[in-house]
Amino acid sequence: MGTTHLKMLKLLLLLTFTEICAAQNDITISVFTVTSKSMTVQWTGPTGASSYKITATPKNSSKYPVFAQFSGNSVMGSVNSLSPNTLYTVQLEAMDNALNVMSSALTEETTAPEVPSIIKAYSKHSDSITVEFTEASGATGYILRAESDDFFSETPVSNSPGTVLQLQPNTYYMLSVMSVNSGGRSQPSYPVKAKTVVIAPQLSTTSPSNDTILVSWPPVEHAVLYTLCIIREGSSSRLKLNTTDTMVTFDDLQAGTTYCIKGTAWDSDGRTGDDVTVCQITRPPSPDVTQVQVTQGRSLGITVYWMPVLGAETYIAWTSNGQNCNATVNSYCFIIPVDCGQNHTVTVTAFNSAGPSSPSQPADYITYPCTPENIWVEEPTAGNCSLVWDEVPLVEYYMAFIKRDDGTENSCNTTETTCPFSCMCGYTYLTTVFPYNQAGSSPYAHVRNYTTIPCCPQGVTIELVSADTMEIMWSPVKGAELYETTARQTDDVVHCNDTAPVCALSDLTCNTMYAVTVTPCSELRGCNRTCTPHTHETAPCSPEILNMAQIDNSTYRVLISTPNTNNTNYTITAVGRYNTHTCQTRNSSCELTQLPCGSFYEVTAVAATAVGRSLPGFSKPLETGPCCPTFVNVTQVTQAMTNVTWSPGSGARSYITTLTSSRGHAKCHTLDTHCLMGCITCSTNYSVNLEAISSTGHKSECKYHGFSSSPCCPTGVKLYRRANNSLRVYWRSLGHHIHNHIVELYGTGANYTCTATAGSTYCDIQEETCGDVYTVLVAPLGQNGVKVSFCQPRTYSVPCPGSNAGMMISRGRRSLH
C-alpha cells in the first residue's frame, strides 16, 4: 500500500509541473491542476496582449470544444464543463485590442476520473478504518481522506476497499475518497463518519504452580467487557470466558505444557476491539531422583541422576549443605567437589520459563570417610611402637599401612584407632591410615614419617694419638646424621660433633680416667642417650725438673715433680752433643752418673704408665764443670816470682791459679794457660790449686802437687883478704832450711869456685894474684844440687896485702837467665 501511494504522488507532481513551450518564443502555457470536470492553466504572454483565450478540445472524442476568455492582466485561468477522464488539447491565444491573435501556445492534459462514492466504512482495529467505495472508470488509484478536529491524513490506495492507518482508538473520523489518474485527482466524495474500536488488553501471564496460569491486564479505556479464550498447544479443545475483571486464573492445567490465551475488549457499542494472543507454559512437574553415585577422582564428587519431566528446560540438583549442579540436556549432573565424611540429602528441581517445579523427594547419600588429620607413632619402650590416629566419623573399619625404608611393610585391619608394630632403631617408617565405609575409601591419605632413634654404634675403639688427645673410631650406624662424642670426668666434659664415624677429643686432662660416650643423633628424633660409655685413661702428666745438684765431678742429682698417681715410671734423660745419659725412678729424684766434665746437656723428664708416655717436660740445661788441666808446671823465675803453666782444660774459659803457704799466697786469674805470679817467699813450700771456670761460670776445683820455692839468696855478702893470701867470702843465710852454697869469683886474672856445706856461712878461696877486681856470686844449691840462678853478684876490688877487706865496687844485676 505504501509503495502505490508513493507512485501516485510522483505522477501528480509530474502532471502539475509539466510545461509545454509554444512554438513562439514569446508565450508559454502549462497545466496547473485538473479535476473531473475542470482544468486550470497558467501562462506567460507577450507584451501588449489585451486579452487571452483558452480553448479545450477533446482529442479523441467528438464532443464540442469548451473555451474561456480572460483579460490581458491575467496569468491563470480555468476551463469548466469538461468531461471526466478525457484527454484535451488546450490552446492559449494572446490577442490585441483588435482581437487579433498576437501569438498562441498548445498543451495536452487529461481530466480526473469520476468522483467515487463510499459504500461502507468500518473499524476492525483500534488504529485503522477500512472504507469500501465505488470505483471510477479510468482511475489509476484512489486517495482516502480522514479528518477529525485535530487530525488530517490522505492515504493512497489502489482499489476498494482501502484502509486508513495510524488512527487513534475509539475515535470518530470523517472519511472521503478521491479517484486519481495521470491528469490529477477528482473532487472528494460525500464524507462518511466512522469510529475506531478499542485497543486489545495487554495480557500478562504467569504460572504460579505447575497446574495453573494467572492472566492479568491493565484496564482498557472505554472497554466494558473482556473475552478470553485459552487453548492447549497441539489440541483443538478450547475454553472461552467473558469477564469484566482484569485478572483470570485458569487451573486444572497440565504441568509443563504450553497454553495460548487470546484476549479481546468490547466497547459500549458492542464492538470487539483488537485481539491479542499470548502463550504461557506451566511450571514443570517435580522430577524423581533415581540414583546418587559418589565418584572418586582427582576430586571427590557425586553424580545425581533423575527422570526427565515434561516442559523442563533446566534441572538443578541441591544438596542439603548448599551445593548444587545443573543440566539442560542430560538427566544427570555432577557436584564437585564434595567433602569427605558427609551424610546429606539431594533434591532436584526442574525449571522452565514459568519458573521452578516443586523439589523432588530428597535422596540420601554418604561420602567416603575423611582420612585422620592427626597420625602419630608412640614408642613407649624401645622397639615397641604403635601407630595412633584420631577417630573420624562414618567409619566402618580402618586399614593402616606401615612401610619401613628398606621396603618391609606391615598392615592392620582394625576398627580401633591404634595399630601396634615392631620398630627397630635407625629406621624411618612411612605410616598412613585409610578409613572405609560403604562409599569406599579416600584415594589419598596423609603420610606421616616416623624415624626411630639411631642405634648405638658398635666397635668403638679409643686410641691415644697424643698426650692430651684421644682418637675415637666406630662403625657407622643407620639413621645417624651426626655423632656427638663426649669425654667426661667429674665436672669436665669435652665435646666433639661430627658426621664421620671418627672423632678426636683434644685438650684432655693428663693422667685422668674419662668416660667416653658416642651418641648418634638424627635431625628428626634427636640423640640416643642410652649408649654405654667406654672408659679410657689419658697419658700421664709431664713431670717438671725442680732442681739439679752436683754430687761429685761426674754425678748430678735431679729433683722432679711427681704429678701422676702411683705406678708411674719417670725417666730423666740428659742429651749431650756426643752422648746421652739416663736414669729412672718412681720417686722424685734420680742421679745421672758418669757425666764427663766440660759437657753441656739438655735434661728432660718423661712419665710413663701402662697407658702411654707423657709429653716430655720442659727441658733444663745442665752444664758439667770444666775439666781440670792435665798438668801444672811451676817454674821460679826470680826469688819472689814464679811462672805457672798448665795444659788446657776442656770446657774452661778462664783459670784461677793459687799458690798457698803458711807464709802467704799468690793468685792469678787469666784466660791463658800460663800465669806469672809474684810475692813468692823463698825457701817455702806452697800448695798448688787451680780453678777451671766455664763461660757460664761453672767451676772445677783442681789440686796438684805442692811447690817449694827456691832457697833464699844469702845477704850480707862480703869479700875479705886473709893473711895467707886467701880470700874469704862471707854471707848470711835466710830461710828456715839449710842449704849448701856455691861461691863463684870471677876476676880479670882468674876464676874461683868454692862450695860451702850446709850451715856454713863463709867459703875460703886461695888467691893467686892480688889486687884483682872480682865478681862474687854466692848462691844456695837446691835439693837437686842445682844452683839458684837468680842471686845477685857483687863486684869487689881486692887490694894487695895490708888491707883486710875488699871494697865493693858494685852489686851485680839479677839475671833472669
Side-chain angles (χ1 to χ4, degrees):
M1 183 68 73
T3 304
T4 304
H5 291 171
L6 181 61
K7 290 182 179 179
M8 292 187 69
L9 287 174
K10 289 181 178 179
L11 178 60
L12 290 174
L13 290 173
L14 289 173
L15 291 174
T16 302
F17 295 103
T18 300
E19 183 176 305
I20 303 175
C21 295
Q24 297 86 353
N25 292 331
D26 55 352
I27 188 171
T28 63
I29 185 173
S30 62
V31 177
F32 179 75
T33 185
V34 297
T35 67
S36 299
K37 295 184 177 183
S38 66
M39 185 179 299
T40 302
V41 296
Q42 59 184 1
W43 62 86
T44 61
T47 303
S50 61
S51 64
Y52 294 95
K53 180 182 180 182
I54 302 174
T55 302
T57 303
K59 188 174 182 180
N60 299 317
S61 175
S62 61
K63 293 180 180 181
Y64 294 103
V66 179
F67 65 90
Q69 192 164 356
F70 301 94
S71 67
N73 297 325
S74 300
V75 295
M76 181 180 291
S78 296
V79 180
N80 297 315
S81 301
L82 302 180
S83 297
N85 194 38
T86 301
L87 176 63
Y88 285 89
T89 300
V90 181
Q91 181 179 27
L92 175 66
E93 294 175 320
M95 293 179 291
D96 58 14
N97 291 328
L99 299 178
N100 295 318
V101 176
M102 298 174 61
S103 61
S104 65
L106 294 175
T107 185
E108 289 184 353
E109 189 57 83
T110 301
T111 58
E114 288 281 356
V115 177
S117 61
I118 297 176
I119 301 172
K120 182 172 61 173
Y122 54 89
S123 175
K124 289 188 176 182
H125 298 286
S126 61
D127 63 346
S128 67
I129 296 176
T130 301
V131 180
E132 294 181 8
F133 54 87
T134 60
E135 294 186 2
S137 176
T140 58
Y142 302 90
I143 294 176
L144 299 179
R145 178 178 291 176
E147 297 178 79
S148 67
D149 293 339
D150 56 356
F151 181 80
F152 177 86
S153 72
E154 290 184 343
T155 304
V157 297
S158 60
N159 51 29
S160 176
T163 302
V164 181
L165 302 176
Q166 297 180 351
L167 304 180
Q168 295 298 315
N170 197 48
T171 303
Y172 282 103
Y173 290 92
M174 296 299 293
L175 300 167
S176 60
V177 62
M178 294 174 284
S179 59
V180 178
N181 64 6
S182 60
R185 63 173 67 180
S186 71
Q187 289 86 356
S189 68
Y190 185 80
V192 174
K193 190 176 182 180
K195 185 180 181 181
T196 54
V197 297
V198 294
I199 63 174
Q202 302 299 312
L203 301 181
S204 296
T205 59
T206 59
S207 177
S209 65
N210 60 10
D211 63 348
T212 61
I213 291 178
L214 174 64
V215 185
S216 62
W217 61 92
V220 176
E221 189 177 5
H222 305 296
V224 296
L225 184 67
Y226 303 96
T227 298
L228 298 179
C229 181
I230 184 170
I231 185 170
R232 189 179 68 196
E233 188 180 54
S235 172
S236 61
S237 63
R238 63 188 63 197
L239 175 65
K240 187 175 182 179
L241 63 87
N242 295 324
T243 181
T244 58
D245 295 331
T246 58
M247 182 171 63
V248 173
T249 299
F250 295 97
D251 51 14
D252 294 330
L253 304 179
Q254 184 174 325
T257 302
T258 300
Y259 290 85
C260 292
I261 300 98
K262 180 179 179 180
T264 304
W266 296 74
D267 62 12
S268 58
D269 297 330
R271 298 182 305 157
T272 59
D274 294 339
D275 63 75
V276 63
T277 301
V278 296
C279 294
Q280 173 68 51
I281 190 171
T282 53
R283 295 193 182 193
S286 298
D288 292 328
V289 178
T290 59
Q291 183 184 6
V292 180
Q293 180 179 354
V294 178
T295 58
Q296 297 185 3
R298 299 182 64 89
S299 297
L300 175 61
I302 61 172
T303 304
V304 184
Y305 296 89
W306 59 86
M307 290 297 295
V309 294
L310 180 65
E313 299 173 358
T314 303
Y315 299 89
I316 297 181
W318 289 90
T319 64
S320 56
N321 65 334
Q323 291 182 283
N324 67 85
C325 64
N326 63 78
T328 57
V329 177
N330 300 320
S331 58
Y332 60 88
C333 66
F334 305 97
I335 296 180
I336 298 175
V338 297
D339 295 330
C340 58
Q342 290 184 336
N343 187 3
H344 294 293
T345 61
V346 61
T347 60
V348 177
T349 301
F351 286 80
N352 60 19
S353 59
S357 70
S358 298
S360 67
Q361 289 297 318
D364 296 327
Y365 71 93
I366 185 173
T367 61
Y368 56 70
C370 299
T371 56
E373 186 65 28
N374 296 316
I375 303 174
W376 67 96
V377 174
E378 294 178 352
E379 189 176 1
T381 60
N384 295 316
C385 294
S386 291
L387 177 61
V388 186
W389 58 89
D390 291 338
E391 185 176 4
V392 293
L394 303 177
V395 174
E396 296 177 3
Y397 64 93
Y398 298 92
M399 284 295 296
F401 297 92
I402 302 102
K403 188 172 184 179
R404 203 166 67 185
D405 56 9
D406 63 351
T408 303
E409 186 171 350
N410 293 326
S411 63
C412 285
N413 185 336
T414 179
T415 58
E416 304 296 329
T417 58
T418 181
C419 175
F421 66 97
S422 176
C423 53
M424 296 177 59
C425 60
Y427 283 93
T428 296
Y429 294 85
L430 305 178
T431 62
T432 185
V433 176
F434 289 91
Y436 283 81
N437 64 13
Q438 63 186 23
S441 173
S442 170
Y444 309 102
H446 299 295
V447 178
R448 296 289 186 266
N449 292 349
Y450 179 76
T451 301
T452 54
I453 58 175
C455 302
C456 292
Q458 301 297 318
V460 178
T461 60
I462 304 174
E463 181 181 353
L464 280 175
V465 294
S466 66
D468 65 345
T469 300
M470 291 181 185
E471 183 182 51
I472 301 96
M473 302 180 69
W474 59 90
S475 300
V477 294
K478 182 174 178 58
E481 299 170 350
L482 180 73
Y483 298 95
E484 180 183 289
T485 308
T486 58
R488 182 185 299 272
Q489 65 94 15
T490 315
D491 296 330
D492 183 22
V493 180
V494 181
H495 294 268
C496 168
N497 294 337
D498 205 336
T499 57
V502 61
C503 186
L505 297 175
S506 304
D507 196 25
L508 303 178
T509 303
C510 57
N511 192 231
T512 302
M513 186 67 72
Y514 280 91
V516 179
T517 304
V518 179
T519 302
C521 301
S522 69
E523 185 176 352
L524 294 176
R525 287 302 312 279
C527 301
N528 187 349
R529 302 294 181 185
T530 64
C531 298
T532 304
H534 302 265
T535 58
H536 200 281
E537 185 179 359
T538 54
C541 300
S542 300
E544 180 184 355
I545 298 176
L546 302 177
N547 189 27
M548 292 183 290
Q550 186 174 3
I551 304 304
D552 55 35
N553 287 340
S554 62
T555 302
Y556 288 81
R557 178 175 291 128
V558 182
L559 182 65
I560 60 173
S561 64
T562 55
N564 301 297
T565 56
N566 296 330
N567 299 323
T568 303
N569 292 323
Y570 298 94
T571 300
I572 294 89
T573 303
V575 179
R577 183 175 181 183
Y578 301 107
N579 51 40
T580 300
H581 295 262
T582 60
C583 67
Q584 292 183 340
T585 183
R586 287 181 176 268
N587 301 317
S588 59
S589 65
C590 182
E591 292 184 355
L592 294 170
T593 61
Q594 297 180 357
L595 299 180
C597 60
S599 299
F600 184 85
Y601 291 93
E602 287 283 341
V603 181
T604 56
V606 175
T609 63
V611 177
R613 293 169 58 86
S614 71
L615 291 173
F618 295 114
S619 64
K620 289 192 175 181
L622 173 62
E623 184 181 0
T624 59
C627 295
C628 293
T630 304
F631 63 88
V632 175
N633 291 328
V634 182
T635 303
Q636 193 161 358
V637 179
T638 65
Q639 181 174 294
M641 186 171 61
T642 59
N643 185 23
V644 183
T645 62
W646 55 88
S647 62
S650 176
R653 187 175 71 174
S654 64
Y655 305 90
I656 297 177
T657 305
T658 304
L659 301 180
T660 304
S661 71
S662 58
R663 301 178 65 183
H665 69 278
K667 182 180 289 186
C668 172
H669 191 182
T670 181
L671 297 174
D672 301 324
T673 57
H674 57 83
C675 185
L676 191 63
M677 303 176 64
C679 300
I680 299 301
T681 302
C682 58
S683 191
T684 302
N685 291 327
Y686 285 91
S687 61
V688 179
N689 295 313
L690 184 144
E691 281 185 328
I693 304 173
S694 69
S695 60
T696 58
H698 280 70
K699 298 179 181 180
S700 293
E701 299 286 342
C702 305
K703 295 181 180 296
Y704 297 93
H705 293 293
F707 163 72
S708 296
S709 60
S710 63
C712 298
C713 291
T715 62
V717 176
K718 294 182 180 179
L719 181 61
Y720 297 95
R721 175 174 291 282
R722 299 186 64 181
N724 57 356
N725 289 331
S726 63
L727 297 173
R728 174 170 286 188
V729 180
Y730 176 81
W731 65 85
R732 289 194 297 275
S733 296
L734 297 175
H736 301 287
H737 301 286
I738 298 175
H739 299 280
N740 294 330
H741 289 74
I742 186 170
V743 178
E744 294 177 349
L745 281 77
Y746 299 97
T748 57
N751 294 328
Y752 303 97
T753 300
C754 175
T755 300
T757 60
S760 177
T761 59
Y762 65 92
C763 185
D764 294 333
I765 298 173
Q766 189 64 41
E767 181 184 28
E768 295 179 359
T769 304
C770 67
D772 203 350
V773 176
Y774 291 98
T775 298
V776 180
L777 174 63
V778 179
L781 296 176
Q783 294 179 357
N784 53 3
V786 178
K787 179 184 69 172
V788 175
S789 60
F790 41 74
C791 293
Q792 294 182 350
R794 292 169 173 77
T795 302
Y796 291 91
S797 174
V798 180
C800 287
S803 176
N804 291 328
M807 181 179 296
M808 184 178 65
I809 298 176
S810 65
R811 292 184 180 181
R813 295 182 180 272
R814 183 176 62 181
S815 173
L816 295 178
H817 304 288

